Amino acid sequence: MSDEPYDVDYDEVYRDTAGSGGPPWDIGGPQPALAAVLDGAVRGPKVLDIGCGAGDLAIALARRGHQVTAVDISRVAIDQARAKAAGEGLTVHFEVQDATRLSLPSAPFDSIFDSGLLHSLVRRGGGAADAYLAALPGLAAPGATVFVLAVSLADGQGWGVTEDLLRAGFAEPEWTGTEIEEIQVAAETDGRRLSLPGFLLRTVRASGA
């Protein structure tokens, strides 16, 4: 892999794909592996969705009565997400923020979701993933549940995460009960549904850390 940071203009990505169904990770709903945990496994009422994109996961959480804060680096994506939520009459607090420099006065949260953000930060390089992981404990209330869905490096694209990276990023004493399962991550491009190898991590913010 190159040592040069991987820089993406996400506003441009969302604008350029607006007429063709959105970027590959925008599949019109939550990732299947996360959809499976939305009923019964989410601790509330305050939930944070980091890297929310066009808002499908945040909106699914709001439909279930959670108080949702959702952030993304792309203003274009956030505008799309706000329009979707307004169209359903749902209240979601959307903000444009960089995940490596989050400022969220409403923290801490009872559950935190990361659907495809961490692997993007790993790919971005320049310490972005480390800065993000260092900030997460301060955003999670004691006992909070954190879910991270990420593409595996084993996909063969030259980027992604490993189980070792996930375990190192969510280790004791800050986190406890960390579980990682191998899953399939859904994507869509040119009207084709793709399935990529990935991981779903679940962990809990330690009460005494």
Side-chain angles (χ1 to χ4, degrees), residues 5 10 13 19 21-22 44 49 58 74 91 105-106 114 142 152 194 200:
Y10 285 100
V13 171
D49 179 9
S74 168
T91 299
S106 54
D114 168 344
S152 168
L194 306 176
L200 177 61

Side-chain angles (χ1 to χ4, degrees), residues 15-206:
R15 278 193 298 265
D16 289 350
T17 59
S20 58
W25 55 85
D26 187 350
I27 61 171
Q31 282 287 327
L34 289 178
V37 309
L38 295 185
D39 294 314
V42 182
R43 183 176 179 184
K46 293 169 60 180
V47 180
L48 174 63
D49 179 9
I50 313 178
C52 66
D56 291 313
L57 174 59
I59 288 168
L61 288 161
R63 286 191 198 114
R64 289 161 171 79
H66 297 294
Q67 300 170 16
V68 184
T69 297
V71 301
D72 198 274
I73 198 170
S74 168
R75 183 170 297 280
V76 175
I78 290 294
D79 287 345
Q80 292 177 8
R82 285 174 175 154
K84 285 183 185 179
E88 292 197 31
L90 294 170
T91 299
V92 180
H93 182 68
F94 289 108
E95 286 195 25
V96 180
Q97 290 202 31
D98 186 328
T100 66
R101 298 190 297 273
L102 290 172
S103 176
L104 296 168
S106 54
F109 297 91
D110 302 305
S111 290
I112 297 176
F113 283 82
D114 168 344
S115 180
L117 173 64
L118 179 58
H119 66 229
S120 299
L121 295 178
V122 170
R123 189 180 191 188
R124 178 169 147 186
D130 290 339
Y132 167 64
L133 290 170
L136 276 181
L139 299 173
T145 303
V146 175
F147 300 90
V148 178
L149 179 143
V151 170
S152 168
L153 185 61
D155 182 45
Q157 302 295 321
W159 58 272
V161 305
T162 63
E163 183 171 344
D164 286 345
L165 182 148
L166 290 173
R167 292 201 180 279
F170 294 91
E172 295 181 347
E174 287 85 6
W175 307 102
T176 186
T178 300
E179 299 177 357
I180 300 172
E181 62 179 301
E182 294 183 1
I183 59 161
Q184 293 297 306
V185 178
E188 289 185 1
T189 181
D190 298 325
R192 295 181 300 115
R193 178 64 70 100
L194 306 176
S195 187
L196 312 175
F199 299 104
L200 177 61
L201 173 145
R202 308 183 197 199
T203 192
V204 175
R205 180 71 169 102

